[in-house]
């Protein structure tokens, strides 16, 4: 079965790589004994790894040892692994049972990596070793038979059987060697006394202890045992008394002598030389307070003597001679400490019932205070006092205990906490005293309702606001604390026309922000009055209301509407005699605007006809009358088309157009046409009459408006000249900010309905609010500046309207 093309070659290549991986992934294991000489044969590495000896050089054969030591080396000529340097197993692996050297063999072209492990075998090259060469033992001649004296064994650096040790002792009459076998590797050694010692007969013994390992050949180690027989001391020192009693004043200075003890010994020589010391089991408080001179037995004070810490001390003293073995005598010293007035009273608040509700009745126990004095007698008798004076007092309940009692009324809004000082004074001379501070916090009860800064707020909002916009924020403060001061806001529901108040506005219960839920329409609703309720979270809850007057300001959102007969898309033709004089009124355009103020102030403008110049007609700027500017001529033609633009004064201005056709006829034709259009003539008479009425009406409205403005200015001046008493007392006027308008205002909006021509009544006059500084809120600063500029522009237009009204009056006259 053959392979075709590149597929067969790829399969053969994969088989070769797999075979190479199988060879390269194996591991070769060798072993060699430690201390082998240089050049000792270890193994045929190239052959064992399946490598050709002749390719070792060209394939860049190299061997790497992880520890970078050159213990082993490979001859690249024959592929044999041999010992290159001395190998000390104990230095390389210590006492580890298995010691190996791991090698990595790397060849290239192709790259292969092999792992070789060479185990180092132990040989018996280390003899047993004792820690010292000579061991000194001191054994009393009075030691009983079978007494055991422990010895330290030897150690061997080898492993396995090479480290198994056996011991033997040189022959003697007094001691035998004792070896205890157990499960542990360590075998305790000891000497067992088999014959009583006599120092006068045998003062010293010299023995040799030998240790032999289990290797081949055997290695040994020795230690010399030098035994000294000690003399027996058979007389102990004795004190004059068994018990000594001493009185010592507390606070005695360091170095003060407490007592001097003396002991005697009937022995001679070193056995009669005595040293003094405290017994080994003397308590730590004795060692920290007293010291003893070892030579003369003088006991002195070294620490602070405190009667309150310990009223007495019991000191165990021993006298030890210098004999061998040493003999000891004992005595007891009882030290009584005498009290002095050195401790100030201690004041502790054992129980504190805080905070104290501000409506707590008189006699309420607030705290239990304990007083104590570590002194005794009159030095420990304590009396207490309280300062500063206030609605609290101290009552003695029983010995060393006082009660802190409320004896008056407290008001958290007036004083939220009292800092009291309790003074305790003892009966010593001089008297000592101590103080303790007690902070009494007054807990709040819900006795204050939320309060607004003003009873009424006036807010101005532009119409066509976006739904959900923020128009104002009400804020009420509560003098109470915690939940009693947590204020929530809600609307006082009522009906506004056919709808509920909640369909127009809402208030956030936590922040007090008032939002307009839908766009407001000045033409539908000019003033929205409602109340917001603020209620705290106390029990029972308390609340108050504030009134809001929201004035909806007009925007230019209604375009002018041209009234019939020039409304719509139909073309109206007007007939004019060719012999009319200059100033003859041909027609009158009437239009109305649903807005108010400047937004409803209309002007009329004739749009130039393309390709026609020098029209003999003009349109009155504010009357809408189309009249001739000169006598008609033949060059004017028999008919002309006029396009009139009606534009209001809003920002931006809105406009509408009216189109009419004017036909020029001879005088006789005009008379004939007049009989056919008598109704049109009558209508023209009515229009002239309506024009006269409009002129007089505008003059009357301007007069009344001027009087109204003067009255408002006089009222404001009188209002500002004297304070207005109210339920909140005299205070400065507070500006009201509307985030949607961005201006400060107290003015009230007044509107008068004016009838324009045949149209319905419309708003033609408004008293605008003054342009005052904008609010300082960072979120609405850009909008406030824009609105402020809008108000400035309106004021400028107001001045222009005065001049224009004068022109209208002159033209009407």
């Amino acid at each position: 079965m053959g392979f075709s093309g590149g597929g067969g070659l790829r399969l053969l290549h994969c088989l070769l790589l797999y075979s190479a991986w199988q060879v390269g992934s194996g591991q070769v294991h060798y072993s060699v004994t430690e201390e082998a000489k240089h050049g000792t044969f270890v193994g045929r590495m190239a052959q064992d790894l399946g490598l050709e000896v002749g390719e070792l050089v060209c394939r860049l054969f190299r061997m790497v040892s992880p520890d970078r030591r050159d213990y082993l080396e490979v001859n690249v000529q024959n592929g044999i692994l041999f010992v290159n340097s001395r190998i000390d197993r104990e230095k390389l692996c210590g006492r580890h049972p298995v010691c190996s050297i791991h090698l990595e063999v790397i060849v290239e072209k192709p790259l292969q990596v092999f792992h070789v492990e060479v185990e180092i075998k132990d040989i018996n090259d280390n003899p047993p070793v004792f820690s010292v060469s000579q061991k000194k033992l001191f054994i009393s001649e009075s030691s009983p038979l079978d007494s055991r004296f422990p010895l330290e064994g030897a150690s061997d650096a080898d492993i396995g059987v090479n480290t198994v040790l056996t011991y033997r002792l040189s022959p003697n009459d007094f001691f035998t060697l004792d070896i205890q076998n157990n499960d542990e590797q360590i075998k305790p050694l000891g000497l067992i006394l088999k014959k009583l010692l006599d120092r006068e007969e045998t003062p010293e013994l010299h023995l040799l202890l030998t240790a032999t390992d289990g290797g081949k050949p055997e290695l040994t180690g020795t230690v010399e045992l030098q035994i000294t027989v000690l003399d027996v001391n058979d007389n102990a020192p004795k004190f004059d008394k068994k018990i000594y009693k001493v009185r010592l004043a507390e606070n005695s200075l360091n170095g003060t002598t407490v007592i001097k003890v003396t002991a005697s010994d009937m022995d001679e020589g070193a056995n009669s030389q005595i040293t003094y010391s405290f017994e080994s089991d003397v308590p730590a408080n004795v060692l920290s307070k007293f010291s003893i001179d070892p030579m003369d037995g003088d006991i002195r004070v070294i620490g602070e003597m405190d009667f309150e810490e310990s009223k007495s001390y019991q000191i165990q003293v021993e006298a030890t001679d210098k004999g061998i073995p040493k003999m000891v005598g004992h005595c007891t010293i009882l030290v009584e400490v005498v009290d002095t007035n050195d401790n100030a009273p201690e004041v502790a608040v054992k129980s504190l019932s805080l905070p104290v509700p501000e409506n707590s009745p008189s006699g309420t126990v607030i705290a239990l205070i304990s007083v104590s004095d570590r002194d005794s007698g009159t030095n420990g008798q304590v009396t207490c006092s309280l300062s500063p004076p206030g609605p609290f007092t101290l009552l003695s309940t029983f010995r060393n205990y006082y009660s802190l009692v409320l004896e008056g009324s407290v008001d958290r809004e007036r004083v939220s906490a009292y800092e009291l000082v309790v003074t305790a004074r003892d009966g010593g001379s001089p008297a000592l005293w101590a103080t303790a501070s007690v902070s009494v916090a007054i807990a709040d009860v819900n006795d204050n309702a939320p309060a607004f800064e003003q009873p009424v707020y006036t807010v101005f909002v532009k119409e066509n606001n976006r739904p959900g916009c923020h128009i104002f924020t009400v804020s009420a403060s509560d003098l109470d604390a915690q939940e009693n001061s947590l204020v929530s806001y809600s609307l006082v529901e009522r009906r506004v026309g056919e709808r509920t108040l909640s369909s127009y506005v809402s208030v956030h219960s936590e922040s007090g922000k008032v939002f307009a839920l839908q766009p407001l329409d000045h033409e539908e609703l000019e003033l929205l009055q409602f109340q917001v309720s603020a209620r705290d979270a106390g029990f029972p809850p308390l609340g108050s209301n504030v009134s809001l007057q929201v004035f909806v300001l007009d925007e230019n959102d209604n375009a002018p509407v041209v009234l019939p007969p020039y409304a719509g898309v139909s073309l109206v033709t007007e007939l004019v005699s060719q012999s009319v004089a200059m100033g003859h009124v041909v027609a009158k355009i009437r239009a109305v605007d649903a807005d108010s103020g400047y937004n409803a102030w209309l002007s009329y403008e004739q749009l130039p006809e393309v390709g026609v110049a020098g029209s003999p007609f003009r349109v009155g700027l504010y009357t809408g009358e189309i009249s001739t500017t000169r006598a008609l001529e033949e060059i004017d033609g028999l008919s002309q088309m006029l396009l009139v633009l009606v534009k209001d004064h809003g920002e931006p201005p809105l406009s509408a157009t009216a189109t009419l056709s004017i036909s020029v006829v001879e005088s006789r034709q005009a008379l004939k046409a007049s009989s056919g259009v008598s109704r049109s003539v009558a209508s023209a008479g009515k229009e002239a009459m309506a024009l006269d009425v409009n002129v007089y009406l505008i003059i009357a409205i301007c007069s009344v408006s001027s009087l109204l403005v003067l009255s408002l200015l006089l009222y404001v001046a009188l209002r500002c000249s004297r304070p207005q008493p109210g339920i909140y007392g005299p205070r400065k006027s507070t500006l009201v900010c509307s985030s949607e308008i961005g201006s400060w205002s107290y003015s009230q909006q007044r509107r008068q309905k004016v009838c324009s021509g045949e149209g319905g009544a419309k708003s033609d006059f408004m008293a605008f609010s003054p342009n005052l500084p904008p609010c300082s809120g960072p979120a609405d600063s850009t909008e406030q500046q824009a609105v402020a500029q809008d108000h400035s522009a309106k004021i400028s237009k107001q001045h222009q309207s005065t001049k224009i009204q004068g022109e209208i009056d002159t033209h009407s006259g």
Side-chain angles (χ1 to χ4, degrees):
M1 184 176 186
F3 298 92
S4 62
L9 292 176
R10 285 194 295 270
L11 180 59
L12 179 60
H13 181 65
C14 292
L15 290 174
L16 291 175
L17 288 177
Y18 176 76
S19 300
W21 175 81
Q22 289 290 342
V23 175
S25 63
Q27 178 171 326
V28 180
H29 182 273
Y30 300 110
S31 64
V32 66
T33 60
E34 65 172 331
E35 304 294 344
K37 295 181 180 180
H38 174 75
T40 300
F41 174 82
V42 178
R44 300 182 183 277
M45 180 180 289
Q47 179 180 347
D48 296 338
L49 293 178
L51 301 175
E52 295 294 336
V53 176
E55 298 179 353
L56 297 182
V57 176
C58 64
R59 292 189 64 182
L60 301 178
F61 176 91
R62 60 184 183 276
M63 184 178 66
V64 179
S65 176
D67 57 1
R68 308 300 181 185
R69 300 287 185 89
D70 56 350
Y71 293 118
L72 303 170
E73 189 59 66
V74 176
N75 189 337
V76 296
Q77 303 301 325
N78 53 22
I80 293 176
L81 178 67
F82 62 90
V83 176
N84 186 48
S85 60
R86 175 180 175 271
I87 303 175
D88 186 354
R89 186 189 183 284
E90 287 71 35
K91 181 178 180 181
L92 184 63
C93 300
R95 297 187 60 84
H96 199 276
V98 178
C99 182
S100 301
I101 297 177
H102 297 275
L103 304 174
E104 288 185 358
V105 178
I106 303 174
V107 293
E108 298 184 2
K109 300 178 183 180
L111 177 64
Q112 289 179 287
V113 179
F114 302 93
H115 297 279
V116 178
E117 181 181 11
V118 180
E119 181 181 0
I120 309 301
K121 299 292 186 179
D122 182 48
I123 63 172
N124 191 25
D125 58 341
N126 291 283
V129 177
F130 288 93
S131 61
V132 293
S133 61
Q134 187 181 61
K135 175 71 173 178
K136 291 184 179 182
L137 298 175
F138 298 91
I139 301 176
S140 174
E141 62 177 337
S142 62
S143 298
L145 294 177
D146 294 329
S147 296
R148 191 177 190 278
F149 304 96
L151 297 175
E152 182 179 358
S155 61
D156 196 314
D158 295 322
I159 63 171
V161 69
N162 296 330
T163 191
V164 177
L165 304 180
T166 58
Y167 298 90
R168 67 178 181 272
L169 185 64
S170 60
N172 65 92
D173 297 332
F174 296 96
F175 296 95
T176 61
L177 189 62
D178 177 45
I179 302 177
Q180 298 180 358
N181 294 323
N182 51 30
D183 296 336
E184 303 294 335
Q185 294 181 355
I186 299 175
K187 296 180 178 181
L189 298 177
L191 295 177
I192 301 297
L193 182 63
K194 294 300 182 183
K195 182 181 178 181
L196 293 177
L197 297 173
D198 187 356
R199 189 191 67 82
E200 289 72 23
E201 182 181 348
T202 308
E204 288 185 355
L205 287 173
H206 295 275
L207 304 177
L208 187 65
L209 178 61
T210 302
T212 305
D213 62 20
K216 297 296 181 179
E218 295 179 346
L219 299 178
T220 61
T222 60
V223 60
E224 180 186 358
L225 303 179
Q226 183 178 350
I227 301 174
T228 302
V229 181
L230 302 177
D231 189 22
V232 176
N233 182 26
D234 55 354
N235 288 288
K238 292 184 179 180
F239 287 95
D240 297 340
K241 297 180 181 180
K242 290 293 184 181
I243 298 176
Y244 297 86
K245 294 183 179 181
V246 182
R247 287 174 60 87
L248 180 66
E250 70 171 328
N251 300 324
S252 295
L253 300 178
N254 286 348
T256 302
T257 299
V258 179
I259 192 174
K260 183 176 183 178
V261 295
T262 305
S264 59
D265 195 313
M266 296 178 63
D267 292 325
E268 294 181 354
N271 293 334
S272 65
Q273 295 178 4
I274 299 174
T275 59
Y276 300 93
S277 64
F278 296 139
E279 289 188 357
S280 60
D281 57 351
V282 169
N285 65 335
V286 173
L287 295 177
S288 64
K289 304 294 184 182
F290 304 96
S291 68
I292 186 170
D293 191 315
M295 302 307 298
D296 58 11
D298 192 2
I299 299 176
R300 297 177 181 273
V301 176
I302 62 171
E304 182 181 358
M305 302 304 300
D306 190 354
F307 173 83
E308 289 70 36
E309 179 182 346
S310 180
K311 297 178 175 58
S312 64
Y313 294 92
Q314 182 175 330
I315 307 174
Q316 302 292 338
V317 179
E318 61 182 15
T320 306
D321 61 22
K322 296 184 179 180
I324 299 176
K326 297 178 180 181
M327 303 293 287
V328 181
H330 304 273
C331 75
T332 301
I333 301 173
L334 298 179
V335 180
E336 180 185 356
V337 182
V338 180
D339 180 48
T340 59
N341 189 26
D342 60 340
N343 289 280
E346 296 179 357
V347 184
V349 179
K350 295 295 184 181
S351 177
L352 191 62
S353 179
L354 292 179
V356 178
E358 58 181 333
N359 59 351
S360 299
S362 179
T364 301
V365 177
I366 298 170
L368 184 63
I369 301 173
S370 69
V371 295
S372 61
D373 196 312
R374 299 177 63 191
D375 295 323
S376 60
T378 57
N379 296 333
Q381 296 178 359
V382 182
T383 57
C384 283
S385 61
L386 181 67
S387 63
F392 302 96
T393 186
L394 278 178
L395 297 180
S396 178
T397 53
F398 47 92
R399 186 172 182 267
N400 292 337
Y401 279 91
Y402 290 84
S403 294
L404 180 62
V405 179
L406 177 66
E407 65 174 0
S409 61
V410 290
D411 185 1
R412 190 203 66 84
E413 286 72 38
R414 186 171 59 88
V415 180
S416 61
Y418 292 86
E419 299 298 331
L420 306 178
V421 178
V422 179
T423 303
R425 191 179 303 272
D426 63 21
S429 180
L432 300 179
W433 54 274
T435 61
S437 297
V438 180
S439 180
V440 180
I442 307 302
D444 183 57
V445 296
N446 193 26
D447 56 349
N448 289 278
F452 293 93
E453 293 184 358
Q454 299 177 205
V456 179
Y457 290 98
T458 302
V459 183
F460 295 92
V461 180
K462 283 185 177 181
E463 68 171 334
N464 300 322
N465 55 282
R466 64 181 185 277
C469 69
H470 171 225
I471 62 174
F472 192 65
T473 300
V474 294
S475 177
S477 59
D478 196 312
L479 296 177
D480 295 322
Q482 297 179 355
E483 66 274 2
N484 295 331
S485 65
L486 297 178
V487 180
S488 61
Y489 303 91
S490 62
L491 288 176
V492 179
E493 189 61 76
R494 71 177 186 88
R495 299 195 66 81
V496 180
E498 298 297 327
R499 304 170 62 180
T500 59
L501 174 65
S502 58
S503 64
Y504 286 96
V505 293
S506 69
V507 60
H508 192 274
S509 62
E510 296 180 2
S511 64
K513 291 184 176 181
V514 181
F515 300 94
L517 300 182
Q518 62 180 8
L520 301 178
D521 190 356
H522 172 80
E523 289 72 35
E524 176 187 347
L525 182 67
E526 297 183 13
L527 173 61
L528 179 62
Q529 293 182 333
F530 59 92
Q531 286 187 325
V532 175
S533 174
R535 187 172 298 270
D536 59 29
F539 184 81
L542 301 178
S544 61
N545 295 343
V546 66
S547 297
L548 269 71
Q549 295 180 342
V550 179
F551 287 90
V552 182
L553 301 181
D554 181 55
E555 281 193 334
N556 192 26
D557 57 344
N558 291 282
V561 177
V562 179
L563 299 178
Y566 305 106
V569 297
S570 60
L571 183 63
V572 178
T573 302
E574 297 287 349
L575 301 179
V576 60
S577 174
Q578 188 175 14
S579 61
V580 296
M582 180 183 66
H584 176 74
V585 177
V586 178
K588 181 178 178 62
I589 306 298
R590 299 176 181 82
V592 294
D593 196 311
D595 295 322
S596 61
Y598 289 105
N599 298 328
W601 184 19
L602 303 181
S603 62
Y604 302 84
E605 179 182 351
Q606 179 181 353
L607 296 179
E609 186 177 356
V610 179
V612 178
S615 173
F617 303 99
R618 72 177 182 88
V619 179
L621 180 61
Y622 299 106
T623 61
E625 294 179 345
I626 301 176
S627 59
T628 58
T629 59
R630 57 179 171 81
L632 299 180
E633 301 175 355
E634 293 183 0
I635 59 175
D636 295 327
L638 298 179
S639 66
Q640 289 197 14
M641 186 77 65
L642 296 184
L643 182 63
V644 179
L645 176 68
V646 183
K647 182 172 61 175
D648 59 25
H649 286 73
E651 290 295 339
L654 302 179
S655 62
T657 58
T659 306
L660 72 157
S661 175
I662 299 177
S663 297
V664 180
V665 297
E666 295 181 357
S667 299
R668 288 174 296 178
Q669 293 177 349
L671 293 175
K672 291 179 181 180
S674 63
S675 61
V677 292
S678 59
R679 189 175 301 172
S680 298
V681 173
S683 176
K686 291 181 181 180
E687 291 175 0
M689 184 181 298
L691 176 61
D692 295 338
V693 172
N694 286 342
V695 171
Y696 291 119
L697 185 58
I698 290 174
I699 294 174
I701 289 174
C702 291
S703 301
V704 173
S705 300
S706 301
L707 292 176
L708 177 60
V709 171
L710 291 176
S711 301
L712 288 175
L713 292 177
L714 180 61
Y715 174 75
V716 172
L718 294 176
R719 183 71 177 269
C720 296
S721 63
R722 66 176 184 273
Q724 294 293 331
I727 61 173
Y728 292 92
R731 62 168 66 187
K732 294 182 179 180
S733 297
T734 304
L735 295 178
V736 178
C737 175
S738 170
S739 61
E740 288 297 308
I741 300 305
S743 65
W744 301 83
S745 175
Y746 279 107
S747 67
Q748 299 293 327
Q749 185 177 0
R750 295 183 58 88
R751 308 181 60 189
Q752 294 187 8
K753 302 297 181 178
V754 178
C755 182
S756 174
E758 296 176 357
K762 59 172 289 183
S763 175
D764 196 49
F765 176 77
M766 172 179 282
F768 293 96
S769 58
N771 184 24
L772 297 179
C775 299
S776 60
D780 300 331
S781 60
T782 304
E783 185 178 357
Q784 292 170 357
Q785 292 177 3
V787 176
Q789 294 175 1
D790 179 57
H791 279 282
S792 299
K794 287 187 177 181
I795 289 178
S796 299
K797 289 184 177 181
Q798 187 175 6
H799 291 294
Q800 295 176 3
S801 66
T802 305
K803 297 180 180 180
I804 295 173
Q805 187 64 43
E807 295 178 2
I808 294 175
D809 295 341
T810 304
H811 180 75
S812 299

